[in-house]
Amino acid sequence: QFQSSQELSSEKGLVAEFVDQVYSFRNLGAGAFDHFMLNNLILRVDSLDPFLHRIQAKGHPFLLTRVGEEYALFLDIPQNAQTVQLRSTHVSVSEPKVVEGVCLV
């Protein structure tokens, strides 16, 4: 896996240091949006419900919000601090949080 490969190693590891730094302030579950989350992969899906069921069952943090007419589900790749955003016009199993002061369009 690239996040722990020898090519990216230092005393602790460049990726590990970055992940620790990001996770020191990231708080998806509280609805907090940090500037590193702006750099994310956006995927469109028919419904966010199956993803929310799996994420909640595994206890992973997430941020669900609205972006225009769509819902946006922000997730971290575990132990990597990279953000994935799933977008859909349908969600019924969770309520979106309002994210203030960030342009997500």
Side-chain angles (χ1 to χ4, degrees), residues 65-72 87-90 105:
T65 190
R66 297 231 21 161
V67 177
E69 298 298 315
E70 294 181 302
Y71 297 96
R87 286 201 185 179
S88 179
T89 56
H90 179 263
V105 178

Side-chain angles (χ1 to χ4, degrees), residues 1 3 10 12 25 31 33 43-44 61 66 68 72 82 100:
Q1 296 179 354
Q3 71 261 29
S10 64
K12 182 174 182 178
F25 56 81
F33 192 94
L43 302 169
R44 296 201 186 283
R66 297 231 21 161
Q82 298 301 308
E100 298 286 339

Side-chain angles (χ1 to χ4, degrees), residues 1 11 17 32 40 44 47 52 56 61-62 80-81 88 99 105:
Q1 296 179 354
E11 226 175 88
E17 289 175 16
N40 64 77
R44 296 201 186 283
S47 173
L52 285 163
Q56 291 169 332
F62 65 90
N80 193 289
S88 179
V99 176
V105 178

Side-chain angles (χ1 to χ4, degrees), residues 1-86:
Q1 296 179 354
F2 82 91
Q3 71 261 29
S4 60
S5 68
Q6 294 291 1
E7 290 78 17
L8 297 175
S9 65
S10 64
E11 226 175 88
K12 182 174 182 178
L14 296 175
V15 173
E17 289 175 16
F18 171 76
V19 170
D20 289 347
Q21 180 184 5
V22 171
Y23 283 152
S24 71
F25 56 81
R26 179 160 291 167
N27 193 353
L28 292 175
F33 192 94
D34 63 74
H35 63 282
F36 286 108
M37 292 171 62
L38 290 170
N39 183 22
N40 64 77
L41 173 66
I42 300 173
L43 302 169
R44 296 201 186 283
V45 297
D46 291 331
S47 173
L48 296 175
D49 289 351
F51 298 96
L52 285 163
H53 284 300
R54 292 183 78 186
I55 293 161
Q56 291 169 332
K58 293 192 175 274
H60 293 300
F62 65 90
L63 170 60
L64 177 64
T65 190
R66 297 231 21 161
V67 177
E69 298 298 315
E70 294 181 302
Y71 297 96
L73 176 61
F74 289 88
L75 316 160
D76 274 341
I77 297 173
Q79 302 173 349
N80 193 289
Q82 298 301 308
T83 306
V84 174
Q85 181 186 161
L86 302 178

